[in-house]
Amino acid sequence: MTVKQTVEIKNRLGMHARPAMKLFELVQSFESEVMLRNGTGIEAEASSVIALLMLDSPKGQQIEIEATGPDEAEALSAVVNLINSGFDED
């Protein structure tokens, strides 16, 4: 099964190196695969900092998060919370 949720990027600078690294480190603690998809359909595995940077996601952009695996609900919730917190930057 797969779980999905759409959230808005809230931090001032959007998805840049520090938030990408925080997200990467977070998903390492889960067994599930986490994918992010921006409004233009570009996808990135959260297990790749480079892929996350390629999303080119500024503040205000909607991002769909999709988690698949044994702890998918927990992984999705953790990623949503991190993004909603503005990656603890603001």
Side-chain angles (χ1 to χ4, degrees):
M1 193 174 153
T2 298
V3 291
K4 297 180 185 180
Q5 186 171 338
T6 301
V7 296
E8 180 180 323
I9 299 292
K10 297 181 189 239
N11 60 313
R12 186 171 49 87
L13 297 175
M15 182 69 74
H16 60 95
R18 275 189 302 275
M21 194 64 192
K22 282 186 177 185
L23 184 52
F24 167 81
E25 289 172 349
L26 175 67
V27 299
Q28 297 306 303
S29 63
F30 296 99
E31 293 181 47
S32 297
E33 178 180 305
V34 178
M35 295 286 294
L36 280 73
R37 188 174 301 108
N38 70 13
T40 61
I42 296 173
E43 294 183 343
E45 288 186 28
S47 60
S48 168
V49 174
I50 299 298
L52 291 171
L53 293 173
M54 300 289 284
L55 281 176
D56 189 30
S57 302
K59 180 179 181 176
Q61 185 171 66
Q62 297 288 315
I63 296 289
E64 182 182 64
I65 306 157
E66 179 179 300
T68 307
D71 53 1
E72 60 195 21
E74 295 86 356
L76 178 65
S77 178
V79 171
V80 167
N81 288 338
L82 179 64
I83 293 173
N84 283 337
S85 77
F87 298 94
D88 300 321
E89 288 193 329
D90 297 330

